[in-house]
């Protein structure tokens, strides 16, 4: 019997624009490109969209999104997904981009760890700090308790109500969760290796008020060991800065020591780097390779501020730059969603007060 010939490998899927990174800035890029009639494929190594907002601090309040005085991080992601719905982006989740290769004619071959292959007219890297892993608690036996009683992120604050908690760290995440969980936990201890904190001054002040009121305790020192009751966590051994050895009861330990940012394959794509970030211009947010753009925390330029708000601005200008890159012969017009029938049609809303577009 003759063997069947192997099936030919499927041809790569054509894409006008490929966005790498489905955090808030990447999701907003879908919207900005969609307004200009440009379709997107978006790829992320995580199993769900949202980036750090979903993965690390979904319940954390954000106060500097325009017109939203307060917005939870996961709520922001859900709003951005809803806003991008009319543009029907194709999501490739749980996949790491392994290759971005320039082709003749100005297009790019994009491949992922799951075998997805795309031919893109333009690529936007919105990868945050790149792939990231939390810095782990360095204590013997910690691996056996990770995910059950030792945590590096919080998905649901309610899981820690009426529990004995030790929170380790001195940055924004540690202090934000200390303030949020104090009064809801049965007991709460904040452990930091020094007296100074790196969090927002107002949050530090609030934490100190809670400590003075006896609602929590603050320890300056280092964790030296885990205490167990059989297979369960019972507490944490602490050596304090003033030389004491303490045993602190705990059902759960929340360790917020920050992240190990890793550019991963991005560092191998031939793009100009500066301090492990991608250099871009401030007109197009284009990298050193024409047709590849970078927005959000992954990029750097004079005056760069790592804010979601700044990333939204970068996504808007990048969309116009991509439109010109894909259709250089096409005259660009600045149109407004309130008056442009073309944009309203793309958004799926009815034209109301139709006016004239302003030419750039």
């Amino acid at each position: 019997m003759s063997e069947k010939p192997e099936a030919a490998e499927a041809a790569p899927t054509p894409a006008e624009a490929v966005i790498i990174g489905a955090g808030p800035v990447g999701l907003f890029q879908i919207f900005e490109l969609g307004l200009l009639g440009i379709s997107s494929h978006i790829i992320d190594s995580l199993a769900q969209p949202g980036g750090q907002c979903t993965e690390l601090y979904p319940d954390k309040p954000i106060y500097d999104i325009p017109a939203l005085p307060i917005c939870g991080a996961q709520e922001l992601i859900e709003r951005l997904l809803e806003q991008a719905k009319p543009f029907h982006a194709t999501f490739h989740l749980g996949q790491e981009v392994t290759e971005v290769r320039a082709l003749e004619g100005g297009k790019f071959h994009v491949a992922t760890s799951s075998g997805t292959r795309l031919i893109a007219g333009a690529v936007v890297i919105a990868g945050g700090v790149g792939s990231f892993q939390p810095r782990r608690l360095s204590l013997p036996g910690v691996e056996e308790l990770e995910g059950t009683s030792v945590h590096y992120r919080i998905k649901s604050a309610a899981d820690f109500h009426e529990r004995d908690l030790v929170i380790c760290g001195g940055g924004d995440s540690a202090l934000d969760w200390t303030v949020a969980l104090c009064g809801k936990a049965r007991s709460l201890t904040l452990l930091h290796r020094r007296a100074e904190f790196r969090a927002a001054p107002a949050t530090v002040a609030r934490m100190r008020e809670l400590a003075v009121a006896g609602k929590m305790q603050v320890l300056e020192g280092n964790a030296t060991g885990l205490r167990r009751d059989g297979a369960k966590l019972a507490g944490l051994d602490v050596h304090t800065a003033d030389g004491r050895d303490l045993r602190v009861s705990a059902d759960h330990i929340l360790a917020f020591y920050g992240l190990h940012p890793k550019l991963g394959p991005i560092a191998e794509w031939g793009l100009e780097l500066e301090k492990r970030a991608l250099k871009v211009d401030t007109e197009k947010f284009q990298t050193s390779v024409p047709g590849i753009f970078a927005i959000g925390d992954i990029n750097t330029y004079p005056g760069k501020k790592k804010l979601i708000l700044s990333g939204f601005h970068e996504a808007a200008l990048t969309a116009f730059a991509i439109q010109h890159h894909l259709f250089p012969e096409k005259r660009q017009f600045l149109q407004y969603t309130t008056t442009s029938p073309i944009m309203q049609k793309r958004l799926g809303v009815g034209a109301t007060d139709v006016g004239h577009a302003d030419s750039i």
Side-chain angles (χ1 to χ4, degrees), residues 241-262:
D242 58 7
R244 294 175 294 154
D245 289 304
L246 304 179
R247 297 177 179 178
V248 182
S249 295
D251 297 323
H252 294 275
I253 297 170
L254 310 177
F256 298 111
Y257 291 136
L259 304 171
H260 284 297
K262 297 179 180 179

Side-chain angles (χ1 to χ4, degrees), residues 290-309:
I292 300 182
F293 304 81
I295 59 175
D297 288 357
I298 197 74
N299 76 15
T300 187
Y301 53 85
K304 169 72 179 183
K305 298 292 184 289
K306 291 190 176 184
L307 298 169
I308 294 174
L309 178 67

Side-chain angles (χ1 to χ4, degrees), residues 44-252:
D44 201 286
S45 60
L46 298 176
Q48 63 284 315
Q52 294 184 50
C53 285
T54 296
E55 195 72 1
L56 297 181
Y57 44 83
D59 293 330
K60 183 177 179 180
I62 302 173
Y63 300 98
D64 61 350
I65 303 300
L68 295 175
I70 181 171
C71 181
Q74 184 59 39
E75 178 191 357
L76 175 63
I77 296 304
E78 290 166 3
R79 286 175 177 268
L80 287 164
L81 287 167
E82 183 68 25
Q83 188 179 39
K85 261 187 182 179
F87 304 117
H88 306 291
T90 302
F91 282 77
H92 306 275
L93 300 174
Q95 304 182 37
E96 183 179 32
V97 175
T98 55
E99 178 186 75
V100 175
R101 175 167 48 88
L103 304 173
E104 289 185 11
K107 295 192 175 183
F108 301 91
H109 180 262
V110 179
T112 77
S113 55
S114 297
T116 300
R117 296 165 65 232
L118 304 168
I119 299 295
V123 175
V124 184
I125 301 172
V129 292
S131 62
F132 55 89
Q133 295 293 327
R135 291 189 173 91
R136 301 169 63 199
L137 194 63
S138 298
L139 294 174
V142 71
E143 297 88 351
E144 300 166 15
L145 298 173
E146 289 175 335
T148 56
S149 49
V150 174
H151 311 270
Y152 304 111
R153 63 184 182 185
I154 292 179
K155 286 195 171 181
S156 173
D159 293 342
F160 303 99
H161 292 183
E162 298 302 321
R163 304 285 189 174
D164 296 316
L165 305 181
V166 175
I167 296 180
C168 303
D172 283 315
S173 293
L175 271 292
D176 286 344
W177 283 116
T178 294
V179 170
L181 292 170
C182 187
K184 299 180 176 68
R186 184 166 51 224
S187 68
L188 193 150
T189 298
L190 175 63
L191 173 65
H192 186 43
R193 68 183 184 277
R194 54 183 180 171
E196 296 78 24
F197 293 89
R198 304 180 310 282
T203 312
V204 175
R206 177 59 182 153
M207 177 274 294
R208 296 199 189 281
E209 289 174 3
L210 293 169
V212 169
K215 296 182 178 180
M216 55 166 287
Q217 72 168 332
V218 184
L219 293 177
E220 182 184 349
N222 292 288
T224 57
L226 298 167
R227 303 193 68 79
R228 298 172 183 254
D229 181 4
K232 295 176 62 176
L233 177 71
L236 190 66
D237 290 332
V238 174
H239 182 73
T240 67
D242 58 7
R244 294 175 294 154
D245 289 304
L246 304 179
R247 297 177 179 178
V248 182
S249 295
D251 297 323
H252 294 275

